[in-house]
Amino acid sequence: MKVLAISGSLRSDSTNTALLEAISRAAPESVEIRLFREMGDLPIFSPDLETPQPPDSVRRFIEAVDCADGLIISSPEYARAIPGGLKNAIDWLVSGEAVIGKPIALAHASHRGDDMLASLRAVLGTVSSRFNADIFLRRPLMAKSPGEIEAELSRPQSVEALRDFVERFSAFVESSQGEM
Ligand SMILES: Cc1cc2nc3c(=O)[nH]c(=O)nc-3n(C[C@H](O)[C@H](O)[C@H](O)COP(=O)(O)O)c2cc1C
């Protein structure tokens, strides 16, 4: 099973990216979770650019989503909303077929950010019929250093939460494949 992980933060020490990396490490061999690291290369969405030959970065992004059996997204809240880069990436998917019916789950690296989460759930529920809001992993990593993040994610409670999240999401992806 191939899963694409998308972080809504481009920050080098991003807690959301670190959470996705930890999720990837917690996955069994049968579940390959790859982080999409090129969100910052996507141009600002315009329907005028949606041609049969879109910009290379867009083509690569759409192909990555298309090839994935599921998506896991983890994002910070900016100004009580979805960060522009992540919303822009999602906008590139809206009129294509790659995301329709794609299993999607959310993770989140902060105890805050509920306005962004509500908005992102609404957006993902609009673009995919298989966005599953019940599968959700939240760890309180906000403002933590890489060392503190590692310590928090190594706690037995975190390790169990990460494994449980991966298990539930991969089972959901498998059950979705059965429906196709
Ligand atoms: C431009 C900007 C706006 C932010 N707005 C909010 C906000 O509205 N609510 C909130 O809880 N945190 C806000 N934050 C804090 C981030 O959401 C928080 O630091 C998050 O953990 C950063 O995620 P990252 O470590 O993955 O980059 C904001 C941070 C920035 C840089």
Side-chain angles (χ1 to χ4, degrees), residues 7-11 13-17 75-81 109-110 112-113 141-143:
S7 173
S9 175
L10 296 177
R11 203 166 66 85
D13 282 342
S14 163
T15 54
N16 286 281
T17 304
S75 176
E77 174 173 273
Y78 283 175
R80 299 182 66 179
S110 171
R112 300 187 342 203
L141 304 178
M142 196 180 106

Side-chain angles (χ1 to χ4, degrees), residues 6 13 42 58 165:
I6 301 172
D13 282 342
L42 297 172
V58 172
F165 176 76

Side-chain angles (χ1 to χ4, degrees), residues 45-82:
F45 172 77
S46 164
D48 290 344
L49 297 175
E50 284 193 304
T51 64
Q53 268 95 39
D56 277 357
S57 56
V58 172
R59 189 182 41 75
R60 282 198 300 274
F61 175 53
I62 292 173
E63 272 174 20
V65 171
D66 200 29
C67 291
D69 298 304
L71 306 181
I72 296 173
I73 298 174
S74 186
S75 176
E77 174 173 273
Y78 283 175
R80 299 182 66 179
I82 302 168

